[in-house]
Amino acid sequence: MPRRAGQRRVVRAGVIGAAVVAFMGAVAGAAAAACPGRPDALGTARVMEVDPKGLQVGTKSFPATLPLKPREVVLTFDDGPWPATTAAILDALKAECVRATFFLIGQNAKLRPELVKRTLAEGHTVAHHSMTHPAATLAKIPFEAAVKEIEQGIAADERAAYGASGPAPRVPFFRFPGFASTPELLAYLDRTGIGVFGADLWASDWNVQAPQAQLDLVLKRLDAAGGGIVLFHDTKAQTAAMIPAFLRALAARGYGVVHIVPKGAGNGG
């Protein structure tokens, strides 16, 4: 069950290593003003550098979340890249000068490297979500097979984004398919320096619903939580149709978007 906003714990520097987060960028007004031709754009309020070592955040899965201020959100998208819908979401984010984090499935990245490269070129964070998103989840397959899923997915994402993969991922952020982790897999990711993201709230966009119904649902949840890491899927047409209105609603309600990047990665762009 989700924790109430007042009960949420945030990750402290001593928990995930010294200087977990460095604040960069400008306030939301300055970010919006930097959006060409769009002085009223939502913009990206600030960039948060996150140390992946020991990182386990998102109150749907873990006790702690990122150290966000009230009415700050981190936008995340799972399962892409996907034809049409990922491009439409990228268009909407670009129109509002907003940066998000995309947790890619390796086989989708391999099939659509042009969308991965576009995501990277437009300043978003490219993170990882396994190679095939197995229906059984990583928690229900043998440990060695789950590790292979993770490592092959990261390698495929990196080859699509950068042309080659290395001994360590450029963005050591991972989200478990279905949020289905195990203590053994969490320990493996910790040993390899890969941070794990859950979410604080989601749009339930795996359920078929009209874009307006989805918008109403996620805004209701967001207002109740007061902010947090939000999960969408860029494979869903209803989400792609809803995102422009969602971004405008964030601006109207006074929310600020925080872009997350690995510690030492600068502004991620």
Side-chain angles (χ1 to χ4, degrees):
M1 295 291 291
R3 296 169 180 262
R4 295 181 181 176
Q7 295 175 318
R8 292 192 309 166
R9 289 177 49 228
V10 298
V11 175
R12 302 298 180 187
V15 176
I16 65 172
V20 171
V21 86
F23 298 138
M24 303 181 301
V27 297
C35 195
R38 286 293 311 279
D40 63 335
L42 173 60
T44 299
R46 64 186 177 103
V47 178
M48 176 186 289
E49 284 195 340
V50 181
D51 186 344
K53 182 61 179 176
L55 186 76
Q56 297 176 3
V57 289
T59 53
K60 287 287 190 180
S61 302
F62 304 109
T65 193
L66 293 171
L68 298 170
K69 300 173 184 176
R71 304 189 80 77
E72 285 190 333
V73 298
V74 173
L75 302 181
T76 68
F77 295 88
D78 282 7
D79 292 2
W82 201 250
T85 52
T86 298
I89 288 169
L90 289 172
D91 288 344
L93 295 171
K94 185 176 182 179
E96 294 289 341
C97 294
V98 169
R99 292 184 178 183
T101 298
F102 289 79
F103 291 87
L104 307 185
I105 293 177
Q107 65 181 5
N108 289 343
K110 182 178 179 180
L111 289 170
R112 303 171 192 97
E114 71 286 351
L115 279 174
V116 181
K117 287 181 173 63
R118 178 185 169 186
T119 301
L120 188 67
E122 293 181 1
H124 304 289
T125 297
V126 171
H128 313 289
H129 197 45
S130 83
M131 184 65 185
T132 68
H133 200 303
T137 76
L138 300 184
K140 297 294 180 64
I141 64 177
F143 174 80
E144 294 78 9
V147 169
K148 186 177 180 180
E149 269 279 340
I150 294 169
E151 292 180 347
Q152 288 186 338
I154 290 172
D157 296 341
E158 293 229 316
R159 286 192 295 269
Y162 313 106
S165 62
R170 291 166 176 80
V171 177
F173 295 164
F174 182 78
R175 178 179 273 157
F176 280 90
F179 298 108
S181 63
T182 68
E184 294 78 14
L185 288 171
L186 289 171
Y188 153 75
L189 290 168
D190 186 35
R191 289 194 303 273
T192 54
I194 296 174
V196 180
F197 281 82
D200 297 316
L201 64 143
W202 49 55
S204 297
D205 55 357
W206 49 83
N207 297 321
V208 177
Q209 53 191 308
Q212 184 62 50
Q214 184 173 313
L215 176 64
D216 294 343
L217 176 63
V218 71
L219 287 175
K220 179 180 179 181
R221 290 174 175 175
L222 183 58
D223 286 341
I229 304 167
V230 187
L231 167 67
F232 296 105
H233 292 81
D234 56 309
T235 57
K236 304 298 183 182
Q238 66 200 39
T239 298
M242 177 273 302
I243 285 293
F246 174 70
L247 297 177
R248 298 310 302 146
L250 290 182
R253 283 169 156 78
Y255 286 96
V257 174
V258 176
H259 180 212
I260 55 171
V261 300
K263 183 180 177 183
N267 66 6

